[in-house]
Amino acid sequence: MESAARRSGGGLLEGLYRVIMRRNSVYVTFVVAGAFLGERAVDYGVHKLWEYNNVGKRYEDIPVLGQRQSEE
Amino acid sequence: MLRVATRRLPSLVTPWRPNHAAASAVASRGPVGGSDSSSASDELRSAGFSGSFFCRPELNLPHRGFASESLTPRKEDSVAPGVPPTVAAVKNPTSKITYDEYNHERFPPGDPSKRAFAYFCLTGGRFVYASLIRLLVLKFVLSMSASKDVLAMASLEVDLSSIEPGSTVTVKWRGKPVFIRRRTEEDIKLANSVDLSSLRDPQPDSDRAKNPEWLILIGVCTHLGCIPLPNAGDFGGWFCPCHGSHYDISGRIRKGPAPYNLEVPTYSFLEENKLMIG
């Protein structure tokens, strides 16, 4: 069971290897695309974490925002 | 020489013990003396033998054991006596190769290679490197672009309520003068009555002013960058004193060396009497 799962995982990696890493141009494209997507994903995750840790502290959360202007 | 050898011998006996192959090589040859590279150590050992046999009988016991053990050659080592290990290894190729597995454990023989896994691990690292390189390049390149203080000065708000009809106000915008003229009805009529085909840079007045009452021009002569004088010249507009270019009430070139009309900046009317240039 365990070895079968490992073999299937290795088979998946082998298949991806055959698709992606046969040509260096394809591989470089994959690296660039993966870097871009990974950057987006990490950005999104860290932003979510930030929002979660700072609920109600952001500039948009100020309740009296935009009320000073009417006074003058 | 002899005494040194005898004194050194007991300490040397114990490390020799597990080395059956080397011990057998030495012991089987005895005091004949080595013919190969290890002749010096062989001499030392033979000297030690003779010394222990004749002078120090209490050392005989370990040597006897040592000698009798070495006299039975071990088959599994399959090393011929006196053959250096490299030569023995070259002459006896075997399929049971043992590697140093101190910090790199071997996979069982017959396992498929983990090449794809290693490559994908490297790919993950390359994602990070590519992101870092992109980040650094963008940081450095964008640090050379316009900064916030420059961008804050890029647009200008002008209050138009204090400008009389027929007068021209000059404001400074991006280091250049900008003429804001509130035109009268006669000015607008005059600007629209011009035959376009007679102009060097034909442009109708409606293209140059969003609101015909307000004409906004960049006050830089298109000839050599001088500042034209308002309310001067033959056409009631601007006159460049440097080389005598005459601009009409719509800022179009009419006379003189300038090739184009006065430039109109991008502007927009915000609300009542507010003008945003830029």
Side-chain angles (χ1 to χ4, degrees):
Chain A
M1 178 60 203
E2 199 265 336
S3 71
R6 222 175 56 191
R7 203 174 303 136
S8 78
L12 177 69
L13 284 185
E14 279 293 330
L16 281 176
Y17 179 91
R18 237 169 272 132
V19 171
I20 291 163
M21 297 177 186
R22 285 292 182 214
R23 291 172 167 277
N24 196 39
S25 53
V26 176
Y27 181 65
V28 168
T29 310
F30 174 69
V31 166
V32 168
F36 180 73
L37 291 179
E39 218 177 294
R40 293 282 300 267
V42 169
D43 216 26
Y44 179 80
V46 171
H47 186 70
K48 279 279 169 210
L49 192 66
W50 182 272
E51 304 262 293
Y52 174 75
N53 280 326
N54 298 289
V55 175
K57 296 182 189 174
R58 295 168 306 153
Y59 180 73
E60 305 91 271
D61 297 333
I62 301 172
V64 293
L65 202 66
Q67 290 177 16
R68 275 286 289 276
Q69 222 170 20
S70 56
E71 289 173 16
E72 56 176 339
Chain B
M1 177 72 193
L2 264 181
R3 303 228 62 87
V4 171
T6 46
R7 238 177 288 137
R8 200 179 288 164
L9 201 58
S11 63
L12 288 176
V13 164
T14 23
W16 277 359
R17 263 273 168 83
N19 272 347
H20 301 298
S24 72
V26 171
S28 60
R29 244 184 292 150
V32 180
S35 57
D36 50 9
S37 60
S38 62
S39 62
S41 60
D42 275 354
E43 264 179 42
L44 187 69
R45 285 169 208 157
S46 60
F49 275 32
S50 56
S52 64
F53 278 140
F54 298 125
C55 314
R56 308 205 34 190
E58 72 272 11
L59 284 176
N60 282 357
L61 204 77
H63 282 286
R64 214 169 267 159
F66 165 64
S68 67
E69 195 179 47
S70 64
L71 276 176
T72 59
R74 306 184 124 215
K75 269 291 153 199
E76 62 266 31
D77 278 11
S78 72
V79 175
V83 177
T86 50
V87 176
V90 167
K91 290 197 172 167
N92 298 293
T94 174
S95 63
K96 292 194 178 69
I97 304 172
T98 55
Y99 298 95
D100 178 21
E101 301 196 13
Y102 179 68
N103 52 3
H104 288 283
E105 203 179 323
R106 291 270 146 197
F107 288 126
D111 248 27
S113 100
K114 305 285 193 295
R115 177 184 61 172
F117 175 72
Y119 272 84
F120 275 102
C121 287
L122 292 172
T123 304
R126 280 160 195 162
F127 286 174
V128 175
Y129 297 147
S131 288
L132 283 178
I133 289 168
R134 174 179 169 273
L135 184 75
L136 289 177
V137 168
L138 284 182
K139 278 271 171 197
F140 275 112
V141 169
L142 294 182
S143 76
M144 293 180 232
S145 71
S147 53
K148 288 272 169 66
D149 57 339
V150 175
L151 292 180
M153 306 301 289
S155 56
L156 182 71
E157 265 186 49
V158 182
D159 188 11
L160 298 177
S161 57
S162 60
I163 301 176
E164 299 293 319
S167 67
T168 302
V169 167
T170 307
V171 294
K172 193 180 164 190
W173 174 70
R174 295 189 187 176
K176 286 176 284 193
V178 170
F179 299 137
I180 302 170
R181 185 178 177 90
R182 185 170 189 178
R183 295 193 291 190
T184 57
E185 289 295 324
E186 298 88 66
D187 289 341
I188 298 167
K189 258 179 226 150
L190 181 66
N192 284 322
S193 64
V194 177
D195 179 21
L196 286 184
S197 55
S198 70
L199 296 174
R200 184 178 300 162
D201 187 6
Q203 226 177 357
D205 187 58
S206 56
D207 277 12
R208 298 179 57 77
K210 287 180 187 171
N211 184 349
E213 191 186 352
W214 297 99
L215 178 70
I216 292 101
L217 297 171
I218 289 182
V220 173
C221 179
T222 49
H223 177 221
L224 285 174
C226 285
I227 298 173
L229 302 170
N231 294 320
D234 296 350
F235 300 91
W238 285 267
F239 170 70
C240 179
C242 290
H243 301 93
S245 296
H246 295 257
Y247 297 93
D248 67 7
I249 199 64
S250 184
R252 293 174 289 207
I253 179 65
R254 300 296 285 271
K255 206 163 131 187
Y260 304 114
N261 303 332
L262 284 179
E263 198 184 336
V264 177
T266 53
Y267 64 91
S268 56
F269 294 97
L270 291 179
E271 62 231 46
E272 214 43 44
N273 293 322
K274 278 269 183 167
L275 173 72
M276 169 85 113
I277 308 172

